[in-house]
Amino acid sequence: MKHPLHTRSLSVGHGPCAVVEGIDLQLLPGELVAMIGVNGSGKSTLLRTLAGLLKPISGTIHCGDRELGELSARERAQHMAVVLTGRPQAGLLDVRTLVGLGRQPWTGVLGTLTPADEQVVEQALERCGIGNFGERALEALSDGERQQVMIARALAQDTPVLLLDEPTAFLDLVNSVKVMRLLQRIARELGRSVLLSTHDLRSALDLADRIVLIHQGKTWSGTPAEAIASGALASAFQSEGLTFDANTGSLR
Amino acid sequence: MSNARRWPFVLLPVLGTLLFLLHLWTGSVTLSPTAVWKALIGEAEQAGHGLIVRSIRLPQAMTALVAGGGLAACGLLMQTLFRNPLAGPSVLGISSGASLGVAFMLLMQPLLNWLPLAPDAKLVLASLAGALGVLTVILLADRRIGDGITLLIIGLMVGYLCSALISVMQATSPANALKGYVLWGMGSFAGVSVERLPWLVVPGVLGIGAALLLVKPLNALLLGEDQAATMGVQVARTRRIIMWTTGLLAGTITAFCGPIAFLGLATPHVARGLLRSSDHRLLMPATILCGAVLALLCDLVARLPGSEASIPLNAVTSLLGAPVVAWVLLSGKRWARAA
């Protein structure tokens, strides 16, 4: 089966020490997968390894039928779009220009957009609900709007796979749910594979198709219902001194 | 494409052409446009006019054009690469390296007499060697660290080292050699004769061309190196190309014109202010045009048209450039952040 992204006995970490080991992860088209784990559990390390920013310690990562390491930077960017944490410093770019940067893996040497590229950019803006502020400067946006812009940029990259590192980290509840719903629609309606890391247990359980739990260097994967029923969540958080309430899906 | 202002692309070429013509008309002797035209096509009414226009004013204006555009391009390349509004060729230590080469050449002349080269050639080679020497150090450090901010600090330290070495040489050199170095250090576009002009123009145009071809990865780098890497940019390779381009431009220009202060640092801020955009597809050409215009303007002011006297070019560029940078930092944090 040609999954858009799949790993086999993957170990990730910085330097020689593995932070998370034995990761067997498959992303299906049209699926929203949420990665959950406490700070320092290795969520970001795994995500950055999948994005090609870190080298795996052992194991393999395949994009479709090709290995990640074989792909050129451009081919990788045509397969996966990534939204990293941290604010972009591009204060003097307007929203449309920034989202247009998502077309880079597809454009020529000067990055000139064809009418077809412009259309992809417009669709990405519309899809992310920011079609009416293409002219605004990035610095004039709220945190929530800025995150929508960064997602629109990734969407304009037109890739089968989207990876997002804590897309809701700096957002309030309303914006956080908005962003999660947007990502769910992108997965369902456009058939993209969306993998994100999050601390927001509640919306992960509500909206994700699958949960990847990272705990003490191992991964557990299953549907939200399985995560609750199997006690995987409960045991993961119990060791942190918290109780997971299976009825409300919340921590106490 | 974007909602950046477009009128600077009309204004800047018009201003540039006007200043270029003013350069040919004015000076210690003011010539009429007709006299300049006749001198250019070789039918000057007085032999002296032909000499003034073709051998002095034309090469000087050309030098200002290329040096201004080249240094401004360097400044923008550095500011985007290091995501730092205060980056410029001088901050990376490249100008200091070039100065060290030139200082060695001018102050330690007896040591170099055995070289069978014209003094001019030695000067250029020394400057390029200095610039590329610093660049090699920076590139080696870059391979070990791979982090923009640390690299910037190493560039600063290399700059201090070069200054210290120059001070040591100055303390032990004869007065006339010292004078030559100090004059070079004041900066001037007047030192390039017609015969030497190609040695400045060819590397200058190559460097500026390379800067224009880098606009796409530069735009991606606005979002950070990691984000750029996920957008198909080969970050390490792009970083090296940017540094070689900067070295070529800053090294050559510094050899011929001295270490020109502030043009590289301040011009990208002026161009951002005019365009209100940091889209490099527009910002890079605007910055290069702006650099050429500002260099011509500073040189015109430094020559004090109509008088026999002139003031050092670096005094003028600093008088114009320092307030621009201070103003950028004080008034518009947004422009500083935009770099």
Side-chain angles (χ1 to χ4, degrees), chain A residues 64-126:
Chain A
D65 48 7
R66 294 182 67 189
E67 203 171 337
L68 180 64
E70 292 171 5
L71 302 180
S72 69
R74 192 184 177 102
E75 287 171 326
R76 204 174 60 211
Q78 289 176 345
H79 189 77
M80 279 189 291
V82 185
V83 177
L84 298 170
T85 47
R87 285 163 157 245
Q89 296 195 318
L92 277 180
L93 284 185
D94 56 277
V95 169
R96 183 169 283 110
T97 308
L98 192 141
V99 173
L101 294 184
R103 296 306 296 160
Q104 283 213 351
W106 307 96
T107 55
V109 98
L110 294 178
T112 313
L113 300 187
T114 63
D117 289 318
E118 306 264 14
Q119 207 185 338
V120 175
V121 171
E122 284 316 310
Q123 282 166 357
L125 287 168
E126 287 297 330

Side-chain angles (χ1 to χ4, degrees), chain B residues 41-249:
Chain B
I41 57 170
E43 292 172 9
E45 283 152 12
Q46 297 174 33
H49 287 179
L51 187 73
I52 289 173
V53 172
R54 294 217 302 211
S55 312
I56 299 173
R57 291 186 185 172
L58 192 60
Q60 187 169 349
M62 296 281 286
T63 304
L65 211 61
V66 173
L71 287 173
C74 274
L76 180 56
L77 287 171
M78 294 290 97
Q79 287 173 13
T80 302
L81 180 64
F82 295 110
R83 309 183 82 196
N84 188 324
L86 296 179
S90 46
V91 184
L92 247 194
I94 295 176
S95 301
S96 310
S99 296
L100 181 63
V102 171
F104 188 74
M105 174 53 221
L106 291 176
L107 301 176
M108 302 277 128
Q109 238 160 6
L111 292 179
L112 295 169
N113 277 344
W114 54 273
L115 269 175
L117 283 170
D120 281 354
K122 281 192 219 170
L123 197 70
V124 175
L125 286 178
S127 173
L128 266 178
L132 293 176
V134 169
L135 203 67
T136 313
V137 172
I138 302 273
L139 279 170
L140 286 176
D142 179 45
R143 220 163 271 174
R144 284 185 68 104
I145 314 162
D147 159 31
I149 304 295
T150 318
L151 207 57
L152 194 67
I153 294 168
I154 288 180
L156 276 173
M157 293 304 125
V158 171
Y160 282 124
L161 265 179
C162 291
S163 308
L165 287 172
I166 292 171
S167 300
V168 171
M169 281 193 265
Q170 281 177 326
T172 56
S173 53
N176 61 339
L178 199 57
K179 192 185 169 210
Y181 177 75
V182 171
L183 278 178
W184 174 83
M186 288 178 178
S188 169
F189 295 136
V192 186
S193 61
V194 181
E195 295 74 37
R196 292 164 77 194
L197 202 55
W199 290 99
L200 172 69
V201 171
V202 171
V205 169
L206 280 177
I208 288 172
L212 286 169
L213 285 175
L214 283 165
V215 293
K216 181 176 163 182
L218 286 171
N219 270 347
L221 284 172
L222 285 175
L223 303 181
E225 290 189 357
D226 280 347
Q227 189 70 71
T230 71
M231 292 158 69
V233 176
Q234 292 174 280
V235 173
R237 183 168 153 258
T238 303
R239 203 192 291 143
R240 275 197 294 278
I241 297 175
I242 292 177
M243 297 189 72
W244 281 111
T245 307
T246 312
L248 177 72
L249 283 170

Side-chain angles (χ1 to χ4, degrees), chain A residues 19-187:
Chain A
V19 180
V20 189
E21 290 178 310
I23 306 159
D24 291 301
L25 185 71
Q26 287 95 31
L27 289 189
L28 299 169
E31 181 180 51
L32 178 70
V33 179
M35 213 164 22
I36 290 174
V38 294
N39 280 340
S41 59
K43 293 193 302 284
S44 286
T45 310
L46 173 54
L47 203 110
R48 294 171 70 84
T49 309
L50 294 177
L53 294 171
L54 288 173
K55 285 218 164 21
I57 291 176
S58 63
T60 57
I61 304 172
H62 277 85
C63 300
D65 48 7
R66 294 182 67 189
E67 203 171 337
L68 180 64
E70 292 171 5
L71 302 180
S72 69
R74 192 184 177 102
E75 287 171 326
R76 204 174 60 211
Q78 289 176 345
H79 189 77
M80 279 189 291
V82 185
V83 177
L84 298 170
T85 47
R87 285 163 157 245
Q89 296 195 318
L92 277 180
L93 284 185
D94 56 277
V95 169
R96 183 169 283 110
T97 308
L98 192 141
V99 173
L101 294 184
R103 296 306 296 160
Q104 283 213 351
W106 307 96
T107 55
V109 98
L110 294 178
T112 313
L113 300 187
T114 63
D117 289 318
E118 306 264 14
Q119 207 185 338
V120 175
V121 171
E122 284 316 310
Q123 282 166 357
L125 287 168
E126 287 297 330
R127 171 70 61 175
C128 296
I130 49 175
N132 56 343
F133 51 83
E135 312 304 321
R136 283 167 67 183
L138 197 64
E139 52 154 22
L141 304 181
S142 71
D143 285 342
E145 290 167 334
R146 190 177 292 115
Q147 197 57 272
Q148 284 168 284
V149 172
M150 296 315 284
I151 292 170
R153 189 208 56 73
L155 199 55
Q157 211 168 315
D158 201 14
T159 54
V161 179
L162 262 85
L163 305 177
L164 304 97
D165 196 7
E166 300 198 16
T168 57
F170 303 109
L171 305 184
D172 60 24
L173 187 66
V174 174
N175 281 300
S176 162
V177 172
K178 239 166 119 178
V179 163
M180 287 293 286
R181 284 198 184 282
L182 169 63
L183 292 170
Q184 191 191 35
R185 280 200 307 276
I186 288 173

